[in-house]
Amino acid sequence: MKVLIPCPKDYLSSNKRNPFVRFIYNGLIENGFEVVCDHHELWNDPLCYDAIFFQWPEAAFDWTDFDVLKIEQKLIDLRNKNIRIIATCHNLHSHNDNEDANKLYDILYSHSDAIHHLGYYSFEMFKAKYPNCHHFISQHPIFYDIKAMKLDKTECRDRLRLPANKKTILSFGEFRSDEEIRLLVSLRKRISCKNVIILAPRLPTGSIRNGLRIDKTIKCIRTRADYWLKKIYYKKVFIDDDMIPYYFTACDVVFIQRKDILNSGNLPLAFSAGRIVVGPDRGNVGDILKKCGNPCFDPNDTSDVINKTELALELSKSDDIGIKNYNYAHKYMKPHITNEIISKTITYLLTNKNVRAISDNSMK
């Protein structure tokens, strides 16, 4: 059975691309599928595949020059040729809320034979919205078993040049909007600098090298100085894969800075490190956090964000919730579990061509 993942080839080699694609690719091969990862194949030679496994519809265009009509016609053609269309529901809409990109999502989900969910929230929502589709859940896998690495917190902080005696809040990953930056800065203003530092490796500060734009250079210097005074640590570099466990071991609390979210790769990373997480009460993220007793905030209420983060710091004095998070990850997020569910579902779809409106609730 031959499966196409319509993402650029460098998803398999670049650590700057989402590792989920590498995981899916390798997992399907281990389970006996012939797999190709190449977005050009979708447009050039898709008829030699039994199934097309989409991750993000924008990836089929390498994230530029989206053509809504083109992908809709392609999906119709594939369906007419009895080629199975499967989509992982990473997002409800595009990250930057681009109108054309948003249309891609609805078109893809509307034409899918099966939709792979990373949590119960989107599973329930989409069963109602797309009833003529097979819905199944396999949660976001843990790519590292960080706790099992037995890294020393003090040594990790020393390697990252962080104070050894401060409570550390980690806000990992990209900041996608000014609102997310303001959320973190507001948090910093309300929590004592004496006892707590914030580690935000990808926090944007602007560039000092702005040519003749002296005003932007000055603004950048002021921003960096302000962060330094507020004890907000940033790196301004892409974090190599082998360094990620050090960040999650060094922290006490993981803060998910998203205001509008469905899934987050930071959640399984934090769970695999046995860390408490505070995040928005939104989507699959909020649903999973609450299951394990982690604080969830209303992202539109700054006071609630502060209060829940302070609660997370207090709860981090005990290992209880961190252990519960780690155990949850081992029950639902182990890589072989995700691979097995996905592989069995694709096999089922390919061997039962008449299957349409069947849903598998493997989370209940």
Side-chain angles (χ1 to χ4, degrees), residues 203-363:
L203 184 66
T205 62
S207 174
I208 291 177
R209 298 176 182 178
N210 278 301
L212 299 176
R213 293 300 303 271
I214 302 299
D215 57 331
K216 288 192 175 183
T217 298
I218 293 172
K219 181 180 179 181
C220 173
I221 293 171
R222 285 178 174 171
T223 298
R224 295 185 181 189
D226 186 48
Y227 289 160
W228 181 80
L229 290 170
K230 288 184 170 71
K231 298 294 188 294
I232 300 177
Y233 290 70
Y234 62 90
K235 294 291 182 180
K236 289 297 292 176
V237 294
F238 194 87
I239 310 301
D240 290 333
D241 287 353
D242 59 352
M243 285 302 299
I244 290 175
Y246 289 85
Y247 282 84
F248 283 85
T249 302
C251 74
D252 299 285
V253 169
V254 175
F255 176 82
I256 297 178
Q257 71 268 20
R258 304 286 179 241
K259 297 199 72 173
D260 180 21
I261 193 171
L262 178 63
N263 303 296
S264 173
N266 291 334
L267 190 151
L269 283 169
F271 276 30
S272 73
R275 293 294 179 259
I276 190 168
V277 184
V278 57
D281 188 7
R282 295 289 187 273
N284 294 325
V285 167
D287 185 59
I288 294 170
L289 290 181
K290 286 184 290 189
K291 276 187 172 74
C292 296
N294 297 267
C296 289
F297 55 74
D298 178 350
N300 298 314
D301 183 345
T302 303
S303 295
D304 193 46
V305 175
I306 308 303
N307 293 337
K308 295 301 172 53
T309 305
E310 289 178 335
L311 174 59
L313 287 167
E314 184 66 27
L315 292 171
S316 71
K317 294 176 182 178
S318 165
D319 290 333
D320 292 350
I321 293 179
I323 291 171
K324 191 172 183 180
N325 290 343
Y326 185 74
N327 290 339
Y328 182 92
H330 273 255
K331 184 174 183 179
Y332 294 112
M333 298 176 171
K334 292 288 281 186
H336 76 274
I337 296 173
T338 301
N339 281 330
E340 183 177 329
I341 292 172
I342 291 173
S343 298
K344 283 185 175 180
T345 301
I346 293 177
T347 300
Y348 178 72
L349 289 168
L350 294 179
T351 54
N352 294 271
K353 291 294 186 179
N354 294 323
V355 172
R356 286 294 295 158
I358 298 177
S359 295
D360 169 33
N361 185 359
S362 56
M363 282 269 290

Side-chain angles (χ1 to χ4, degrees), residues 1-205:
M1 291 179 282
K2 194 170 182 180
V3 179
L4 171 66
I5 302 174
C7 292
K9 288 181 179 179
D10 68 344
Y11 270 83
L12 302 181
S13 58
S14 173
N15 68 356
K16 294 186 178 182
R17 295 286 203 176
N18 194 312
F20 194 89
V21 174
R22 291 199 302 273
F23 170 81
I24 293 293
Y25 177 87
N26 292 327
L28 288 173
I29 289 176
E30 289 171 6
N31 281 278
F33 291 88
E34 182 181 352
V35 190
V36 173
C37 176
D38 185 353
H39 69 297
H40 293 299
E41 285 283 285
L42 178 67
W43 311 111
N44 297 334
D45 190 25
L47 300 184
C48 65
Y49 296 93
D50 299 296
I52 315 293
F53 194 178
F54 287 86
Q55 298 307 309
W56 305 271
E58 303 103 314
F61 299 94
D62 198 6
W63 301 89
T64 59
D65 300 325
F66 313 133
D67 190 327
V68 175
L69 295 178
K70 183 178 180 181
I71 198 168
E72 183 170 31
Q73 187 58 54
K74 178 59 67 176
L75 293 172
I76 292 171
D77 292 344
L78 292 170
R79 289 285 301 278
N80 288 338
K81 297 293 184 179
N82 291 319
I83 296 171
R84 289 298 199 179
I85 299 167
I86 305 158
T88 297
C89 182
H90 290 283
N91 312 310
L92 299 178
H93 51 74
S94 64
H95 287 320
N96 60 2
D97 224 13
N98 177 281
E99 184 178 351
D100 285 337
N102 287 343
K103 291 177 182 177
L104 293 180
Y105 281 86
D106 186 55
I107 288 170
L108 173 60
Y109 295 143
S110 297
H111 288 84
S112 291
D113 294 289
I115 298 177
H116 165 215
H117 298 276
L118 301 175
Y120 187 69
Y121 177 90
S122 61
F123 178 88
E124 282 298 306
M125 176 189 294
F126 275 40
K127 275 201 307 182
K129 189 173 183 179
Y130 306 104
N132 295 320
C133 183
H134 180 91
H135 297 273
F136 69 102
I137 297 173
S138 70
Q139 291 200 45
H140 197 301
I142 51 173
F143 298 131
Y144 315 83
D145 191 340
I146 296 175
K147 190 174 181 181
M149 294 178 183
K150 296 184 178 179
L151 298 170
D152 182 77
K153 180 186 282 189
T154 301
E155 291 178 2
C156 289
R157 290 187 177 187
D158 184 59
R159 183 162 182 175
L160 299 175
R161 298 181 180 180
L162 301 172
N165 60 343
K166 307 285 188 183
K167 282 284 188 178
T168 300
I169 298 172
L170 173 64
S171 185
F172 200 74
E174 182 183 0
F175 285 74
R176 295 175 180 154
S177 69
D178 291 340
E179 281 189 322
E180 292 181 355
I181 297 171
R182 285 194 292 270
L183 192 68
L184 188 75
V185 173
S186 297
L187 177 68
R188 171 74 284 175
K189 287 178 179 178
R190 293 278 297 276
I191 293 181
S192 170
C193 287
K194 293 181 181 179
N195 303 318
V196 179
I197 66 168
I198 294 179
L199 176 59
R202 300 286 300 280
L203 184 66
T205 62

